[in-house]
Every structure is written in structure tokens, then in C-alpha cells.
Amino acid sequence: MTSRAATAATVTAALASAGALGYAELTLPAQPLLSDYALVPGGMAPTLLGMLALAAACLSLAYGLATSDPRRTAATRVLLLAAAAGLMLSAVFPTDPGEIKSLTGEIHRWAAAVVFTTLPVAGWTLARGRAPGARWSAVRALAVTAGLVLAVYLAAHPASFTSGWIGGEGYYGLLERALVVADMALLVVMAAAGARPAAVAVPARETVGEPQQRLAA
């Protein structure tokens, strides 16, 4: 698979994930968090598809980066693999209804925490140290946006001691959805930005007679 094919696979998988989760949002009874749709009749299939498709997007992006720029993207690829593992664990171990009380629910919660944390960092590490340009500016902007939304989401979550201060219980679900959309968009932009192979520096050729001139000097 070429880097361009990996990019196409990443975009396709991210769109499939968005479509599956959007289907759950539009057709099923409203739930506080996206993962809660797996607990209602008819919600398991779109929730699983959404999580596994997003994991596939992370894996295909990691493969594409390994093909196009293996030297500079090692840290990014490790983070993407961690996010993919977290998504697969979240799919296999569903959440608990309401308060987390089981080992399965704890695994789901911490796996989701890995996903939400690693993706913004992956975007930042990919764009770090790159030459100025629109594609890398877009990656940086989305990585920062996802990180900021994550911080507000954590502060608003009912499990956080800050939730009561800011009235987070009323909108933490909306923040989670905004975070998921930001992460999906980040993966797509990362795939588009990293599709081009890294530039290789070519040493300048010596002009005729230059070696002899240096020897004579």
C-alpha cells in the first residue's frame, strides 16, 4: 500500500466512523455520551462500527506515515497505535450505564482516556519542527483545538470536582461530541499533510576543476 492509498484509507475510515456515530445520534434515543448508545437496543452495531472504523483510520495513517516519512514520524506513529488500541478496547469493553461500577466500565473509561489524550499529542508531534505552510498550520490548529476541548470536557465531566463550579453536567456530552469531531478532523488533516514524501537533501555538485583548485590551495 502506497502513502496515497493509506491516506485514502484513513479518510474513508474516518468518514465511516462519523457516519456510524451520526446514525446513532439521529435514529436512537438521545444519550449523554456517544459510548452510551451501545447500551440501548439497536445501538451496539453503529457504536462498534464507529469505534473500529476510527481505529482503522489511526492504523492506516500510521502505516502511511511510515511509508512517506519514517524517520521523523516515529513518535507520532506510536501515539496513533496507542489510540487505535484504546479504540479497540473501548469497543470490546462497553461502558456501564450511569456511574462506572464494573471492571469492564473501568477498562472502557481508561481506554477512552488514552484515545482522547494521544490523538492531539500525535497531531502536535507530527507538525512540530515543520516548515511554515498551510497544511502544517492546519494540523497544529486542530491539535491545539482538540487539546483545549479535551481540557474543558474533563473539567465539565460529572466525575470532575470542577463540574459543579461550571455547571458541566448540562453540556459535557456536547463537549465529548465536539472532541470526537475534532479528533476525526485531525486524523484527516494529518493524513493529507503527511501524504507527501519527506524532502531529501541533495548535495550540490562540484564544478569542474574545483577539486584540483582545492588541492592546489
Side-chain angles (χ1 to χ4, degrees):
M1 182 187 295
T2 65
S3 61
R4 291 186 180 275
T7 299
T10 301
V11 174
T12 301
L15 292 176
S17 177
L21 295 176
Y23 170 83
E25 282 275 278
L26 294 173
T27 62
L28 300 175
Q31 299 297 314
L33 299 175
L34 290 173
S35 56
D36 291 334
Y37 283 108
L39 305 176
V40 301
M44 179 63 76
T47 304
L48 284 177
L49 177 60
M51 292 180 180
L52 294 178
L54 200 58
C58 294
L59 293 174
S60 59
L61 176 55
Y63 180 87
L65 293 175
T67 302
S68 63
D69 193 2
R71 184 177 63 85
R72 298 184 62 177
T73 62
T76 303
R77 298 198 310 270
V78 170
L79 291 166
L80 288 170
L81 292 177
L87 284 161
M88 287 185 280
L89 285 173
S90 296
V92 173
F93 297 95
T95 188
D96 292 331
E99 185 180 353
I100 301 296
K101 297 179 180 179
S102 68
L103 177 60
T104 297
E106 286 290 347
I107 293 174
H108 179 92
R109 175 164 63 179
W110 288 106
V114 169
V115 176
F116 289 147
T117 303
T118 53
L119 286 179
V121 179
W124 185 260
T125 58
L126 180 63
R128 181 182 57 189
R130 302 283 185 172
R135 55 175 178 155
W136 299 119
S137 295
V139 174
R140 292 188 194 97
L142 277 172
V144 171
T145 299
L148 292 175
V149 175
L150 173 60
V152 180
Y153 166 69
L154 292 176
H157 196 280
S160 172
F161 70 93
T162 59
S163 179
W165 301 347
I166 60 177
E169 190 170 355
Y171 56 86
Y172 76 100
L174 180 62
L175 286 170
E176 187 225 27
R177 287 159 174 79
L179 178 57
V180 171
V181 170
D183 285 338
M184 289 177 177
L186 177 60
L187 286 172
V188 171
V189 173
M190 288 170 66
R196 303 177 189 175
V200 179
V202 178
R205 293 183 179 179
E206 294 180 334
T207 58
V208 177
E210 187 177 353
Q212 290 83 353
Q213 292 174 2
R214 284 206 300 264
L215 290 175

